[in-house]
Amino acid sequence: MVNSMSRIVVQKLRGAATGKCCALAMIVMSLLLVPVAAWANAFTISAVPVDVTAESPTAARQQAILQGQAAAFDRLMKTVISPEDRELVPELSPEELESLVADFSVAGEKSSATRYIATMTVNFDEARVADMLRNFGVTLLKGGEQTIILLGVYQAEPDAQPLLWEPDNPWRLLLNQTAVSRGLFPVALPLGDMLDTAQVPAEAALALDRTAMDSLIQRYGADEVVVAHVLTTPDKGSSMTLKRYPQDLPSRLKTGETPIADDLPAALGDLAAHAVLSVAQGEKSQRKAIVVGETDSLAALIPVQSIADWVRTEATLSALPMVQTIRLRASRTDVLQIALQYSGDLMSLMAAVEKLGFTVRTYDGYWEIIPPSETATPVLS
């Protein structure tokens, strides 16, 4: 995954020889095809529909914005705090909700003399939300450092053939999109190519077949697999069962259901949010959780030989739950200087980085993070 920071580095590392530009571009494009742990901001809630009728278009739009912020906050609470804690959070006033919003955007606006329709994306301020919740005795949940493969198996009815890799499976893509957008744990996204379909058919996923699960974990460099099986029963709704390999999930997190029968996308969306939170809670029960909202930053140097080194390093470090942001400060052809914002303590961060195969050296307030198999000359001595 190459973000804006990577694009900046592409520009800064091009060098004098223009003949190398095509080669560098090919390297970057090839890396885009490599499945890596995906990580995103849990505090951005998108695709929030609003539809309000009022005495004027202006009044309808103002009410719709407040309605969208309230709906987005409700969705945020469903995915970043535990269900037991949700009852501790009272209903917030419009003014209180607005104070938690960093910014928002709207798309697909339609209005008449009295009605306003749109879709909103709301970005909440992480620190403000964390501070507000602490006042109610609630902490934000973030899963452990294990990289997880999510397999969404779907059955349209009890007697239907279970679907996993098929293009008409509406559940697998939605499940992974929800996990990535919420950012509660690093997710490895399988390609779903011929090798995946041959090694891990739906039946093997449902049975948590050891050979099939191990093949996925080895291929994608993951730590565990979670299989989310959804069964839809006409006129009744959908139910979900979660299974985890190699460790089991706590029994209280294994199942979920929704009574919605006439709106399948809404039903699957509710189940996806439930599944992602359950997996994050399962990670918390096995390892110490990281509370987001309490962050610090450090300066680090990264010796590189090519743009490929940086793209891999950035993608790998960004997937760590402790890492909030990575910003490029300066660059030469052989070394980059970054500012890394993180949660937790420095020793835990160092241990997590070294667990990934990096070498970490410290000198006078700086870190040097040397990528695995790095042969460039170390900067610090």
Side-chain angles (χ1 to χ4, degrees), residues 151 153 164-165 200-209 212-213 225 227 243:
L151 298 181
V153 179
L164 174 53
W165 308 109
V200 191
E203 293 77 7
L206 291 175
L208 291 184
D209 179 82
M213 298 298 99
V225 180
V227 178
K243 304 176 182 179

Side-chain angles (χ1 to χ4, degrees), residues 135-201:
N135 292 333
F136 303 128
V138 177
T139 56
L140 292 163
L141 174 67
K142 197 167 188 180
E145 299 174 7
Q146 304 293 86
T147 299
I148 299 167
I149 296 172
L150 291 173
L151 298 181
V153 179
Y154 178 73
Q155 283 184 272
E157 55 186 30
D159 295 330
Q161 180 73 20
L163 305 177
L164 174 53
W165 308 109
E166 290 80 359
D168 55 341
N169 176 359
W171 171 238
R172 183 173 75 93
L173 183 60
L174 174 62
L175 178 66
N176 281 291
Q177 286 177 336
T178 302
V180 170
S181 66
R182 295 300 173 261
L184 297 180
F185 47 83
V187 182
L189 302 176
L191 296 174
D193 56 9
M194 293 180 63
L195 183 58
D196 283 341
T197 57
Q199 291 184 334
V200 191

Side-chain angles (χ1 to χ4, degrees), residues 15 36 62 76 82 170 189 206 219-220 244 246 260 269 276 290 366:
V36 296
Q62 291 174 341
L76 177 69
S82 65
L189 302 176
L206 291 175
R219 183 181 189 193
Y220 294 104
R244 185 172 67 176
I260 302 174
V276 169
I290 301 166
Y366 275 85

